[in-house]
Amino acid sequence: MNHPVIKTLSVAVLLALSAALSAATDDKPADTAKPASAPTKAAWAYTTPQRPVVPTVKQKAWVRTPVDAFVLAKLEEKGLKPSPDADRATYIRRATLDTWGLLPTPEDVKAFVNDKSPDAYEKLADRLLSSPHYGERQARRWLDLARYADSAGFQQDVTRPNNYRYRDYVITAFNSDKPFNRFIREQIAGDEIWPENQEAHVATGFLAGYPDNLNSRDLVQRKYQIATDMTDLVGETFLASTIGCARCHNHKADKVSQKEYFQLQAFFANTSFDEKAPAIKGDAELAFEKQQTAYREATKDIRAKQKAILDTVRTDGVKYHKERYLTDSRDAIFKPEAEWTAMDRWVNFRLKSVSSEQDVVAYLRLTSEDKDAAEYNPANVEKWKQYQKLTADLRKFDKLKPEKGSLTLTTATELGHADAPPTFVRFGGVHERPTDEVQPALPALWAGANANLDIKPSTSSSGRRTALADWLASDSNPLTARVYVNRVWSQYFANGIIGTVADFGRAGQKPTHPELLDYLATDFVQSGWSVKKLHREILLSSVYRQSSAQRDDVLKADPDNKLLAVYPRKRLEAEAIRDSLLAASGQLVDKVGGPAVFPQVPGNFNAGNLWTASTDPQEQNRRSVYVFVRRSVPYPLTQSFDPADPSHAHHKRDVTTTPLQALTLFNSDVVFSWSQALAGRVIREAGKDENAQLDRLYEILFARSPNKSERAVLKDFLNKEEKIIQAKNADGKFEVAVPVGAKEKQLNPIRAAAFVDLVHAVANSNDFAYRF
């Protein structure tokens, strides 16, 4: 009767239990926070932050860090008191989810609750921030901004096999507490500033993450689109400025002209991307190369015959491919290299990057199959048949190919030249309507009188991105530190001090605590741009320790909780939901870095070769940050929970509530199998006593024991569900799903199946999906 994949509980029954548990839980209302709408003053946002005086407050004992004084001063102005500290179990669950994106273990909770030393909270914060999980969690947030994906998007959505190197760079940067100003400079101009450093080259994958139409026939327009993407990315991500509005017209809210937009775009005028730069060969690369060599050796005769066939049409095929590009692209493509301008260099490098042997294959097919085509050649018909047969023979060796990894990396490059293509203002933002040529400069709104940066070209680079990176990472920059600390604050408190984390301009929201924002920004810079120090101060503050229990006086005086008299509860992000369920089941594979993985997907997913699930549990059960991000085929398990959209910089996760979320978790075979494993874990760790089992289940998922009313609901469910399963199994033909991995050999399979269903329901409750 042990059948691990048959579910025995209807969705309706699961939903009923979930509702009953929610009613039985202590007063925990839904998050009612609403965004503010008042505009902020541009004059304040665009002036260099000055370290404010820490305010004097009445409740001095509540102030653990300067952060608390700024928050408390606002509360006292309103006649409000802060909430008491959350209990320690709630705090460690909250802090672990916020810093790691994972649940704490019951053992970790117990150790912290029982730690009576005066620095217990400090030791916990240091442990959380020193774990590799911290870097994985922070990387996911940064990858949202970098519009990270493992594929290029558009119709072909081809795989970018070495993109994982950028993701791993980000993880390593946060785990090593790389100074944030260095982090900026590497990502904007690492290839210019540190040309011998592979890590710095990989870092420029930040700029290279744009969706890319490799099949575009207008290479000049494609250059403009790529430069536009980079310009908008830098403005939004580092400066919280919706600069993209000024591409088509003078900015309607903030004083940024169309000319200034294209002056900013000019910093990227000479930037290309080499997606096949050779990588230093470590163990992973050597293993990849060994497997690749075995494949090539086994297939060299077939590939040689294919090449011989293609060589007979190669000259015409390449010429035909080049002629398919539009006029301005062809002007550069067919120009002698000795006459190339900077724009011609960019166009021809792009052509080389997007061209392949498949272009010649496509020509051979056209000339042999399309009798109406002017290029049709009967002599190629037999060649095409031979080529197809060889291709079929070649596919027989596919299993010898390396399944993942690469020998290359993606890096920004200026193609070894200092002169850059011209940048023009575009009438209405339209590529085909250039007007006046402009040179690199910053909008006066940001830089004041210092809009013209000191650009120092080298023999191999324009130096433009270096100048921009140095300004972005400057201690005196008015926006960079403010924008980043506001993002971090938003991670912990659901909303930023400026709620519109991507817009500090006039159309953005007014800051709730401007002095606090400036304190955090100036302290961040004075602390050497240390991201971990910033997180540590927030984690140890009294405002972060507060209880999230509802208070009527706060609802009346500050209904949106802008002043933070109550800690704001928040639903877990898509990745944290999956990863925490996986960890609770005991099946999470704790491995950092490496090529992206393909977990199992529903049988009716029908993504073809765009998603080939791994059969290796070690691959299936990695953290979500390592799951392959294909732009055209989102991973279905997390898609219902508002993941980042990789088509553009994603600044803040949405929080929606839809029936699909419950149905996704209730109906997923993968989630149900995790519930079986979790049930098995609970029985192994708690033994036969059902009260102990219920306690252990709640300790794993909620860092607490069930209260009296919850325990009653749970036991009632077990009894009713046992009867339902027993009735269905009356004829002995109905197979039940029992706990996986339980060591108790004398389990009643019917009761055990009911317990699996209970675990499945509890894991789908709001108490799991929220952190309080």
Side-chain angles (χ1 to χ4, degrees), residues 53-70:
V53 175
V54 178
T56 301
V57 293
K58 298 175 183 177
Q59 294 179 248
K60 293 182 175 60
W62 191 74
V63 176
R64 292 186 172 102
T65 75
V67 166
D68 300 322
F70 289 100

Side-chain angles (χ1 to χ4, degrees), residues 345-365:
R345 281 197 305 271
W346 195 100
V347 169
N348 280 280
F349 184 79
R350 170 72 180 185
L351 174 67
K352 181 181 177 181
S353 299
V354 300
S355 300
S356 72
E357 193 83 337
Q358 290 307 306
D359 302 324
V360 183
V361 174
Y363 178 78
L364 176 61
R365 180 176 181 176

Side-chain angles (χ1 to χ4, degrees), residues 589-621:
V589 175
D590 191 6
K591 176 185 175 184
V592 178
V597 299
F598 290 87
Q600 292 293 322
V601 291
N604 61 352
F605 194 49
N606 298 326
N609 60 5
L610 292 179
W611 194 284
T612 303
S614 173
T615 57
D616 182 0
Q618 297 292 308
E619 296 290 306
Q620 296 173 19
N621 296 337

Side-chain angles (χ1 to χ4, degrees), residues 267 440-442 447 450-455 464 467-472:
F267 284 103
L442 297 170
N450 302 312
N452 295 309
L453 301 181
D454 183 17
I455 298 173
R464 294 183 178 189
L468 177 62
D470 288 345
W471 177 79
L472 288 169

Side-chain angles (χ1 to χ4, degrees), residues 249-261:
H249 50 74
N250 293 344
H251 204 296
K252 300 299 184 183
D254 299 315
K255 194 175 182 180
V256 177
S257 69
Q258 195 181 15
K259 177 182 178 180
E260 287 177 313
Y261 175 87

Side-chain angles (χ1 to χ4, degrees), residues 444-463:
L445 178 68
W446 301 342
N450 302 312
N452 295 309
L453 301 181
D454 183 17
I455 298 173
K456 299 177 181 177
S458 68
T459 56
S460 60
S461 178
S462 70

Side-chain angles (χ1 to χ4, degrees), residues 18 42 104 209 244 256 313 351 410 422 500 630:
S18 180
V256 177
V313 299
L351 174 67
T410 294
T500 48
R630 188 173 293 286

